[in-house]
């Protein structure tokens, strides 16, 4: 397919319009998404000459992917509503505040350490759905709560969810490049992790907060990034989870040190919305009981995914569909797929979340009467409806842009524009894919082979570009519409997605540029 200025501008138009509508016009995502979908359809039909059968089958793929995501959205919000109605979050806050009176330490614990732990197991926005409301509960402004969690958890987008995105990338990677790819990904993602944590401190109190929080940030980032870097070469499925678990334990121990258990806070922090309350009575449940649904979630996921006989048994139920592929009038081909995105309901994160919801109801039955359950269901449906509209439209848009060649055209334009300097922008390809598809795994599938082909054309190490690809995809988790919508939904601020993106976009752009510079140095200093 020929690349020219018109085709390039038209390919970028849906993404540019999305940014304009969300950030400058401040439209809610559920309102902007249908407009972007309509524009993508018109462009695909009228300029990129996609036939209706091809668009229909790609739309079916998008709906199938949306179902898997929306099941997680619904069950994550349901778990949140159950815990919130039962008073579990109040009990968590009570317990954590007894653990430490250091407000910055509490911000890092709830917005950085705990969401990273959840990302290591579940992914699919669960870390955002859980972490952002916890920050709101401690007094963080809702929009800032979403921003903090988005930036602090995104590092787990590659080896998190037990390595799904990494495994997807390795499907198209030559065996001899895997060591270099793991090393590059580990180093770059460590950088992403450190930047996210430092941003939390900066948002809270700029230089003063950075000085106060530096020791704990460096310690946790060493365990997160360094631990994952060491483990990635030996156990890619557990690298993120084990590193995040070690960091969680370390954070609890740090809360017991003299420096971080004392009372400390900045009165004029711009991200805090403190309200003076009279002394609250001790919650009816203990901290352990309040946390038990998430412990149950972690244990259940680990058992089902890591105990091989059990995993094999649960994976027997698999649902997938075949698609014939097709070709546009401009010659861009979409390959046929025999088993598209197999859905295994008993090993899907939504199943673990559903079990946790049932477990929560049993544990909280004394504080959660049956009459409250209907209210929980009603609020859950009300919150997930805008998310459903946004997720479905965004995924349909991504499939249409993919089958029409718009996404690949944008990526190839980067190569022609930058030439040998392409490694500098390689992470932006991963970021673009993650932003468009709301998934680092989908981004790796979409652009993994493209990165290896580009590396061959440029004569550089394929592993470095693959590592940069997935690091960029991890960065993109902070701005992917699905996570942004989910965070705004669970903090009861739907319609503020543009405000969140306005704050997060500059940070992700700078982080991707730093990762690109690191990849460029790795290639040109012959380290890899």
């Amino acid at each position: 397919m020929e690349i020219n200025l018109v085709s390039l501008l038209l390919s970028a138009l849906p993404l540019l319009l999305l940014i304009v509508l969300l950030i400058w016009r401040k439209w809610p995502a559920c309102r902007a998404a249908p407009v972007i979908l309509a524009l993508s359809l018109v462009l695909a039909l009228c300029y990129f000459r996609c036939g209706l059968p091809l668009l229909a089958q790609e739309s079916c793929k998008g709906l199938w992917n949306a179902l898997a995501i929306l099941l997680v959205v619904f069950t994550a919000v349901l778990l949140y509503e159950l815990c919130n109605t039962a008073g579990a979050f109040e009990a968590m806050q009570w317990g954590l505040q007894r653990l430490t009176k250091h407000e910055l330490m509490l911000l890092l614990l709830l917005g950085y350490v705990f969401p990273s732990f959840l990302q290591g197991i579940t992914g699919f926005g669960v870390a955002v759905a859980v972490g952002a409301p916890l920050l709101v509960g401690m007094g963080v402004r809702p929009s800032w709560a979403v921003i903090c969690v988005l930036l602090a958890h995104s590092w787990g987008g590659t080896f998190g969810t037990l390595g799904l995105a990494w495994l997807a990338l390795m499907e198209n990677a030559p065996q001899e490049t895997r060591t270099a790819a793991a090393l590059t990904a580990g180093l770059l993602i460590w950088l992403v992790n450190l930047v996210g944590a430092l941003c939390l401190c900066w948002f809270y109190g700029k230089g003063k907060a950075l000085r106060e929080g530096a020791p704990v940030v460096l310690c946790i980032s060493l365990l997160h990034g360094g631990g994952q870097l060491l483990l990635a070469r030996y156990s890619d499925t557990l690298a993120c989870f084990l590193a995040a678990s070690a960091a969680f334990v370390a954070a609890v121990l740090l809360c017991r040190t003299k420096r971080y258990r004392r009372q400390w806070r900045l009165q004029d922090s711009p991200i805090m919305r403190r309200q003076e309350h009279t002394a609250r009575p001790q919650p009816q449940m203990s901290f352990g009981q309040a946390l038990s649904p998430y412990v149950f979630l972690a244990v259940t996921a680990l058992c089902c995914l890591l105990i091989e006989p059990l995993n094999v048994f649960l994976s027997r139920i698999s649902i997938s569909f075949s698609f014939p592929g097709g070709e546009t009038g401009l010659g861009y081909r979409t390959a046929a797929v025999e088993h598209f995105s197999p859905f295994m309901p008993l090993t899907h994160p939504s199943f673990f979340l559903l079990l946790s919801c049932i477990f929560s109801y049993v544990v909280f039955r004394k504080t959660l009467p049956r009459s409250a359950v209907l209210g929980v269901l009603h609020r859950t449906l009300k919150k997930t409806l805008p998310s459903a509209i946004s997720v479905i439209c965004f995924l349909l848009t991504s499939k249409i842009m993919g089958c029409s060649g718009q996404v690949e055209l944008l990526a190839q334009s980067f190569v022609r524009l930058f030439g040998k300097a392409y490694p500098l922008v390689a992470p932006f390809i991963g970021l673009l894919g993650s932003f468009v598809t709301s998934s680092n795994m989908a981004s790796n599938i979409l652009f993994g082979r493209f990165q290896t082909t580009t590396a061959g054309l440029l004569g550089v190490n394929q592993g470095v570009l693959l590592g940069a690809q997935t690091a960029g995809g991890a960065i993109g988790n902070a701005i992917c519409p699905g996570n942004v919508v989910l965070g705004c939904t669970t903090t009861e601020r739907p319609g503020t997605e543009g405000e969140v993106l306005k704050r997060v976009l500059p940070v992700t752009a700078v982080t991707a540029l730093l990762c690109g510079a690191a990849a460029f140095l790795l290639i040109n200093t012959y380290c890899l």
Side-chain angles (χ1 to χ4, degrees):
M1 185 168 59
E2 181 183 356
I3 299 177
N4 54 55
L5 182 60
V6 174
S7 62
L8 179 60
L9 290 176
L10 290 178
S11 297
L13 187 58
L15 300 180
L16 294 174
L17 181 59
L18 176 63
I19 293 172
V20 169
L21 293 179
L22 290 178
I23 296 180
W24 279 277
R25 299 296 298 175
K26 296 183 179 180
W27 282 20
C30 61
R31 182 182 174 191
V35 175
I36 301 304
L37 173 59
L39 175 60
S40 300
L41 277 170
V42 171
L43 290 174
L45 284 169
C46 298
Y47 183 84
F48 295 96
R49 298 170 62 185
C50 281
L52 289 176
L54 179 59
L55 290 176
Q57 74 173 23
E58 292 302 309
S59 297
C60 289
K61 290 180 182 178
L63 291 172
W64 181 243
N65 288 150
L67 175 63
I69 294 175
L70 291 176
L71 286 174
V72 176
V73 172
F74 178 82
T75 49
V77 174
L78 178 61
L79 180 59
Y80 164 72
E81 286 293 335
L82 285 168
C83 292
N84 188 48
T85 304
F89 291 119
E90 184 178 350
M92 287 184 197
Q93 295 162 31
W94 175 278
L96 290 170
Q97 287 168 357
R98 291 185 65 189
L99 184 64
T100 177
K101 296 181 180 179
H102 196 288
E103 193 170 67
L104 178 57
M105 182 66 195
L106 193 59
L107 174 69
L108 291 169
L109 187 63
L110 296 181
Y112 172 46
V113 179
F114 189 50
S116 295
F117 169 77
L118 292 176
Q119 180 67 19
I121 307 169
T122 58
F124 294 93
V126 172
V128 180
V130 173
L134 285 177
L135 288 183
V136 172
M138 68 165 280
V140 179
R141 297 179 186 276
S143 294
W144 280 108
V146 180
I147 292 166
C148 288
V149 176
L150 285 172
L151 291 173
H153 95 289
S154 64
W155 71 276
T158 291
F159 293 100
T161 322
L162 300 182
L164 282 181
W166 174 257
L167 295 175
L169 182 68
M170 290 299 101
E171 286 183 0
N172 295 319
Q175 184 67 36
E176 62 273 13
T177 68
R178 296 193 175 195
T179 299
L183 179 58
T184 303
L187 288 171
L188 299 187
I189 290 170
W190 192 349
L191 177 61
V192 176
N193 175 280
L194 184 59
V195 169
L198 291 176
C199 281
L200 263 64
C201 295
W202 180 261
F203 293 152
Y204 178 76
K206 297 187 177 179
K208 189 172 183 180
L210 281 174
R211 290 189 294 272
E212 179 67 22
V216 67
V217 167
L218 293 176
C219 177
I220 298 301
S221 186
L222 179 64
L223 291 170
H224 276 166
Q228 181 174 266
L229 177 62
L230 291 174
L231 291 167
R233 293 178 61 184
Y234 306 102
S235 179
D236 45 21
T237 57
L238 290 176
C240 178
F241 171 71
L242 292 179
S245 298
F248 187 81
V249 174
V252 172
L253 294 176
L254 285 170
C255 288
R256 298 179 179 272
T257 62
K258 183 178 180 180
R259 177 174 183 138
Y260 292 111
R261 73 168 181 260
R262 78 187 196 279
Q263 186 168 358
W264 187 92
R265 73 178 187 178
L266 295 178
Q267 295 293 340
D268 58 347
S269 173
I271 71 171
M272 301 302 294
R273 185 186 60 182
R274 303 185 185 94
Q275 296 178 353
E276 297 298 330
H277 299 286
T278 56
R280 294 181 179 180
Q282 184 172 349
Q284 299 181 28
M285 68 179 71
S286 66
F287 175 76
Q289 185 181 6
L291 194 62
S292 61
Y294 299 105
V295 175
F296 177 84
L297 173 64
V299 172
T300 303
L302 284 174
C303 290
C304 293
L305 295 175
L306 298 184
I307 299 177
E308 187 172 353
L310 179 59
N311 182 261
V312 171
F313 175 77
L314 295 176
S315 300
R316 288 180 178 178
I317 301 177
S318 179
I319 307 170
S320 64
F321 300 94
S322 61
F323 293 93
E327 184 174 349
T328 69
L330 298 180
Y332 184 78
R333 301 193 64 178
T334 299
V337 181
E338 185 175 354
H339 299 287
F340 177 77
S341 292
F343 176 69
M344 292 173 281
L346 299 184
T347 57
H348 191 263
S350 62
F351 177 66
F352 308 140
L353 285 165
L354 180 60
L355 292 179
S356 299
C357 291
I358 297 172
F359 177 85
S360 300
Y361 178 74
V362 173
V363 172
F364 301 148
R365 60 185 180 276
K366 292 183 179 180
T367 56
L368 190 65
R370 292 184 179 180
S371 58
V373 174
L374 289 177
V376 166
L377 291 172
H378 175 74
R379 289 190 297 274
T380 301
L381 290 170
K382 185 177 179 180
K383 287 182 177 181
T384 54
L385 182 59
S387 299
I389 296 172
S390 303
V391 169
I392 290 172
C393 290
F394 282 135
L395 281 170
L396 289 177
T397 299
S398 73
K399 294 300 180 185
I400 290 168
M401 290 183 66
C403 75
S404 63
Q406 296 176 62
V407 173
E408 184 168 334
L409 190 149
L410 289 172
Q412 290 179 355
S413 299
F414 276 102
V415 178
R416 293 194 177 189
L417 179 63
F418 292 96
K420 288 290 185 180
Y422 173 75
L424 287 169
V425 296
F428 287 93
I429 301 298
L431 187 151
L432 172 67
S434 192
F435 175 74
V436 171
T437 65
S438 287
S439 168
N440 189 15
M441 180 180 68
S443 177
N444 287 343
I445 293 172
L446 188 62
F447 292 125
R449 181 167 295 175
F450 168 74
Q451 296 281 14
T452 57
T453 303
T454 303
L457 293 173
L458 295 174
V460 300
N461 192 305
Q462 294 180 346
V464 176
L465 292 192
L466 287 173
Q469 155 67 32
T470 194
I475 297 168
N477 280 344
I479 59 171
C480 73
N483 281 343
V484 175
V485 170
L486 185 57
C488 293
T489 300
T490 55
T491 55
E492 300 183 359
R493 289 294 300 274
T496 60
E497 294 87 358
E499 180 183 346
V500 170
L501 277 175
K502 187 176 181 179
R503 299 280 187 177
V504 176
L505 271 172
V507 179
T508 56
V510 172
T511 307
L513 187 59
L514 290 173
C515 288
F520 184 81
L521 288 174
L522 286 173
I523 287 175
N524 288 278
T525 57
Y526 303 100
C527 293
L528 289 175

